[in-house]
Amino acid sequence: MPVVTSPAAIAALFTAIVGPDHALSGDAIAEDYGHDEALTARMVRPAAVVRPASTDEVAAILRAADQHRIPVTARGAGTGLSGACIPRADGIVVSFERMNRVLEIDEANCVAVVEPGVRLDQLDGELGTRGLVYPVYPGEYSASLGGNVSTNAGGMRAVKYGVTRHNVLGVEAVLASGAVIRCGGKLIKTSSGYDLTQLVIGSEGTLALVTQAILRLHPRPAHGATVLAPFATLDEVTRAVPRIVASGLAPLMLEYIDILTMTAMINQLGLKLGVPDEIRAKAMAYLVVALENAHAERLEEDVQAVGELLAELGALDIYVLSPSAGGELIAAREKAFWVSKAAGADDVIDVVVPRAAIHAFVQRVGAIAREHETWIAGCGHAGDGNVHMAIFQKDSERRSRILRQLFEAGIALGGAISGEHGVGKEKKKHFLALEDPTKVELMRRIKAAFDPHGILNPGTIFD
Amino acid sequence: MPVVTSPAAIAALFTAIVGPDHALSGDAIAEDYGHDEALTARMVRPAAVVRPASTDEVAAILRAADQHRIPVTARGAGTGLSGACIPRADGIVVSFERMNRVLEIDEANCVAVVEPGVRLDQLDGELGTRGLVYPVYPGEYSASLGGNVSTNAGGMRAVKYGVTRHNVLGVEAVLASGAVIRCGGKLIKTSSGYDLTQLVIGSEGTLALVTQAILRLHPRPAHGATVLAPFATLDEVTRAVPRIVASGLAPLMLEYIDILTMTAMINQLGLKLGVPDEIRAKAMAYLVVALENAHAERLEEDVQAVGELLAELGALDIYVLSPSAGGELIAAREKAFWVSKAAGADDVIDVVVPRAAIHAFVQRVGAIAREHETWIAGCGHAGDGNVHMAIFQKDSERRSRILRQLFEAGIALGGAISGEHGVGKEKKKHFLALEDPTKVELMRRIKAAFDPHGILNPGTIFD
C-alpha cells in the first residue's frame, strides 16, 4: 500500500472512518489543536484532526495510520504543560472531545468508567450528588481524564490520595496496530502478568491510545477546613512539611506559596485572606493545610492539632479560613499557573524531590536565580516534594541553562525532572541529557514493543 | 565464548564471583532451594545456588549468565504460592538470603530502603519502635521484601493501604545484561518517562533482579480493634462487604471466613473466640473487621458504628474481641494456608473479582464444587474481592478442570486469575489459555526488551 503524505490524502483516509464532519483539514483546523498550554510551545498545524466517537473508530484510525506510517498525537482537553499534545505537521491529531461520556458510576464497587474526553468538572458534578469523589485534582478542572492518564496527573490532593497512577484501576486502550486491549479492571489488586495499566499511565500517548479508564472512587467527606500559616522564611516552611506529614494528621492538601506568588495571587485575583498588614509585611512564605473528615468534631480537633503543630514549627500566626475564604485560596492556588502566565513567566517547571529535601532544593533554586539574575517564583505540592516554579527569563538559551541547572539540582537530591507535568516535547532535551542512558534505551525498546513503526506521538519523551 | 552446560562448570563460573562458600552445587544444595510453597510444586535441583552479597555481585552473576545463556531464578524466602521460584535444572538460583540489610529508615521522608532478602518481621521489628509501619502484610511474615515486590504481594491490610505496588516507590534492579538501573526514588509521584518501577513490580523475576526497594512508610496508629460477626449465610457476608467499604469507616482489614475454614482454624489452632455454641451452630460464615486509629475515642466510635452497620446487615451477633483474642484470630487467619495444607488441600488459588461480585463468584464456586463433588473451602480479603480457596481434589486432571472453571468464573465477572499470588509456573497454563493473546504477545515483547536472551526465570508467566 502506498504511503499517503499529502494533507488532503491523509484527511480523505480518515474521513472514510469518522465522516466528513469529524476529519478536519487545512483551515478547518482551529489553532487550538496545534498546541497545549506549555508556555514555550509553538503551534504546529497537523495534516488532519480526527474526532472519533467510539473505540472501534479509534481502532480503525490507528490501523490506517499504522499502515501508512502517519504520526498520531492524542489530544484530550489540551491543558498539558509539557507540549505532549503538539502534533506533527505530517501527522494527525486524534481528539477525544466526542468520547466524553461517563459510562458508568458503579457505587457498589466504588468505581467510575469514563471515556477519555470526560472532563474533571463534569465527572465531579456527577459524583458529588452521590457522596463520592475521584480525588485527583490537578489545578485545571477542564482537563480531561484521558490527558490525566497520559501525564499521570497529580495535583493538590496527592498528599492524601496519591496521583492518577494510584487511582486508575484499569484501562481500555488501542495499540498502534489497532488491536484493542483491556487491562486491570474494577480491582484494587491483581498479580496476573505484567501490569500494562501502570505502564500506559504516564506514557504521554506514546504507547497506546486510552479509550476508557476505570477510576477508583472514594467516599466524599462531608467536612473540610483550610488553615493558612504565614512564616518569616521559606526555610521554615520547607522544614515544617515533613513534620506535618509525619504527624499522621493526613492533610488533604499541604501547599507552600512563596511571597512572589502570593503577592501576585492577591493582586491579580483580589484574594482576601484576613491576614493583617503587619503579619503580611513579615511573611516571606505561606503554608496551606487543608483537612477533611466525615465527622465535624474530628475535623475541629484536627484543625486544633494542626494549629498547635504549626505554632510549634514557627508560624507567625495561624488562620483558620472561613469556607468561602478557604475556597478562594484553594481556587487561587489552582490558578497559580495562569497567574504566572499573566505576570509574564517564560516557563514553568515542576521538579519533584524527596519531601524532606524541598528545603535544600529551594535554597539551590535561590542560588541559581541569583547567579542568572532571574526571577524564579514558586509554590508547590509541598507534601509531595513537588515544587512548581515560574521562570522569568526572556533569553531562551539562558533559560535553557537555568532549567538544566534546576533539573540537575532536583536529580542530585534524589528527585526527578517532573512530578506531574510529564516530559512531553518541551523537556525532552533535558530528560535525555540527564536520564541514565540504560533506562532510556530500555524505554525505547518498550516503546518499540508497543508501537513497532513509531507512529504514536513521535518526538515525545524521546526522539 | 563457549556455552557452559555442566553443573560443575556452571558452579565454577559463579564461584569466581561469590567465592566457594556461596556458590553451591550438587548435594550441597538443600532441598528447599528447589521449590516454594505452592502445593503442586515439584522440587527441581538447579545446577547451582549462588548467594551474592552485593549489587555488584548480582550484576557480575547476570553478566556471566547472560553470556553463557544460563537460566536464572531469583529466590527470596521461598514462601511464594505459584511456583515462581522453582528453578530450572540447567540454571541457577540467585538466593538473596545474604542481602538482608535494612539500609536506611528515613523518618523525614517516611521511607525505608531495604535489600531484597529483608524479611517482613525483621523490617517490622525495626519500624515498630519508631512509630512507623510498612503496611503490606501478606500472611507470611517470614516472606522477603524482594519476593513481595516480585509477586506484588497483598495481604489483609490492602483494603486500607493497597498492595506492594502502592507502597514501593522505587527500586534498584539489575537487568539481564548486568546493567544496574535505579527507578523511582523517595518520591510519591514522578512523571518522567515510563514507570519502570511499576513494571518490575509483579513481574515474578522475569524482567530484572531487584537489589534494593524503597518502601513507603506510614505512621503506626496506636489503637486497634477487631470485630467478629457470624452470619447465617455466606451470601449475607458477601453482600455486606461493599456496604462496609462504602461506609467510609476505612477498615484496616475486611476478611471473610467460611464455615469449613473457621472450623479447621478452631480445631487445629485451638482458637477461642467466645462465640456461644448456639450462635456457632447457626453461623455459616464469619466477617472480620479490623479497625485502627491514632485516637482511642475515635476507634471506639468507629467500632460502635461498624457494629451497628453489621447488625443492620444481618449479623447473628457482634463480638468486639479482646486484644489477645483479636490477635489470635488475625494470626489464625494468616495461617489459613497452613491450616488448609494440614487439612489435606491439594491446591490453593486466589482469584480476584470486583468487590461487589464476590457474592456471585462464591455462588459460582459452590456450583463448581457440587458439579465435581469436591470440597472447596474459602476465606479471603473480602474488601479487595480477593477470594482464597483451598481445593480438595486428589485427581490432578479433574483439579485442573476445576481450576479452569474457577478462573473462567472470576474472569467472567471482571476479575483476574490471581490477586496477589502471581501466575508463576503453576498457573501459567491457565493464564495463557484465558488471557487475551494480544496482551500475552505484548508482554512477551516487553520481556524481550528487558531480557533479550530469555535468561530470567524462563517458564514463569509464559513459556
Side-chain angles (χ1 to χ4, degrees), chain A residues 194, chain B residues 44 62 65-66 69-74 82-94 176 203-209 424-426 428 432 444 447 451-463:
Chain A
Y194 303 154
Chain B
V44 174
L62 288 189
D66 200 42
R69 311 288 191 265
I70 299 168
V72 174
T73 297
S82 63
C85 73
I86 301 174
R88 285 250 302 237
D90 59 348
I92 63 170
V93 164
V94 173
S203 65
E204 306 192 43
T206 63
L207 296 181
L209 298 198
K425 296 181 176 71
E426 300 299 306
K428 174 178 59 178
L432 293 176
R444 284 186 201 277
K447 161 78 172 167
D451 176 19
H453 303 134
I455 63 162
L456 293 177
N457 219 4
T460 291
I461 305 182
F462 8 67
D463 285 311

Side-chain angles (χ1 to χ4, degrees), chain B residues 248-313:
Chain B
L249 286 161
L252 173 64
M253 304 180 195
L254 183 52
E255 298 283 315
Y256 92 89
I257 304 174
D258 75 6
I259 183 68
L260 289 173
T261 307
M262 183 61 104
T263 304
M265 277 163 48
I266 289 172
N267 293 347
Q268 283 186 39
L269 304 172
L271 202 59
K272 283 184 185 51
L273 298 169
V275 181
D277 287 348
E278 66 273 21
I279 300 285
R280 269 191 65 190
K282 282 189 241 168
M284 287 305 289
Y286 293 78
L287 199 58
V288 182
V289 187
L291 296 166
E292 61 172 9
N293 209 298
H295 304 270
E297 67 286 3
R298 292 186 188 182
L299 179 67
E300 213 168 295
E301 287 168 14
D302 288 353
V303 166
Q304 181 71 25
V306 160
E308 286 164 14
L309 184 55
L310 288 168
E312 192 188 306
L313 294 168

